[in-house]
Amino acid sequence: MTVNTRLPACSILLLAGGRGQRMGGQDKGLVEWLGEPMIAHLQRKVRAMTDDLIISCNRNRERYAPFADQLVADDEGDFPGPLAGIRAGLKAAHHPHLLVLPCDVPRIDTALLQSMRETAQLNSEKPLMLRHGEHWEPLLCVIPLSLSAAFEEAWNAGERSPGRVMRSLGATALQCPDNDPRLANLNTPELLNAYNTVSD
């Protein structure tokens, strides 16, 4: 079930498969913020928007499983980067569009998520990325599954940047304010402490 029945169903991918270097090697999605793992905050924001919630994780699968409808993992070892997780999500997704979020943006709100979906439908054959100022946020995006083959071709050609792939495919932007607190990446212990309030 989706929150807004005017919008087609979409799959949602939460990226939690990284190395967590800035967290001292901790699994970022399971790091606690405001008393809960970050993945729990995101899952709560998106749960009502999809019946196909996917988590990309390369470790602690048993801990992520309760938060997802399905789990995926990179098809190459040694943490090859977020594009690997996106590829895995595109292969597993059940709906025509895949909304992607990293696990370290627990302050994102449901209004912005809904805007992403609505804006993506205006140009439904192109990827959508968030932007604030001149800065693209390639891990906050909506990707049509019809572009899966293009992502595979880019990967096989050696590309590892999700942003470059999507810009080459004519990505559209959803513009957010500069330094939008909803987009704060809480990817260090200092940032976890600095942002100590939740966004609705």
Side-chain angles (χ1 to χ4, degrees):
M1 294 288 290
T2 59
V3 169
N4 187 336
T5 54
R6 293 183 296 107
L7 292 171
C10 75
S11 300
I12 295 180
L13 172 66
L14 304 180
L15 293 170
R19 197 188 298 270
Q21 285 175 298
R22 293 177 182 172
M23 284 287 187
Q26 293 183 83
D27 193 334
K28 264 193 304 190
L30 300 175
V31 170
E32 289 210 353
W33 181 66
L34 301 181
E36 288 184 292
M38 279 200 279
I39 200 71
H41 293 276
L42 281 165
Q43 191 259 8
R44 191 160 50 246
K45 301 280 177 70
V46 303
R47 179 68 278 184
M49 292 184 170
T50 187
D51 61 1
D52 187 29
L53 178 52
I54 308 164
I55 295 178
S56 167
C57 56
N58 293 312
R59 45 186 170 160
N60 298 309
R61 291 175 65 86
E62 70 289 344
R63 294 185 61 188
Y64 282 111
F67 297 104
D69 296 312
Q70 52 175 325
L71 302 178
V72 296
D74 298 344
D75 58 8
E76 296 183 14
D78 200 31
F79 303 98
L83 185 54
I86 290 172
R87 288 171 53 241
L90 287 168
K91 291 173 186 173
H94 295 157
H95 296 305
H97 283 81
L98 181 67
L99 186 152
V100 181
L101 299 170
C103 67
D104 56 5
V105 290
R107 301 190 82 248
I108 197 164
D109 63 13
T110 51
L112 182 52
L113 293 168
Q114 199 71 358
S115 292
M116 289 174 70
R117 295 186 60 202
E118 291 169 355
T119 307
Q121 284 304 311
L122 298 176
N123 201 350
S124 64
E125 299 306 310
K126 300 289 186 183
L128 170 101
M129 286 189 280
L130 292 189
R131 233 164 74 126
H132 51 108
E134 296 302 310
H135 181 66
W136 292 92
E137 289 285 356
L139 304 188
L140 293 126
C141 63
V142 181
I143 303 170
L145 260 63
S146 60
L147 298 178
S148 295
F151 275 76
E152 286 302 307
E153 288 170 16
W155 177 270
N156 292 332
E159 182 59 80
R160 294 298 180 265
S161 165
R164 279 198 296 266
V165 176
M166 285 185 272
R167 286 192 295 273
S168 76
L169 294 170
T172 58
L174 174 58
Q175 195 72 37
C176 296
D178 267 346
N179 302 311
D180 191 329
R182 298 174 297 177
L183 307 184
N185 291 110
L186 307 191
N187 55 14
T188 68
E190 294 76 20
L191 285 168
L192 280 173
N193 291 329
Y195 287 90
N196 57 7
T197 59
V198 71
S199 179
D200 295 328

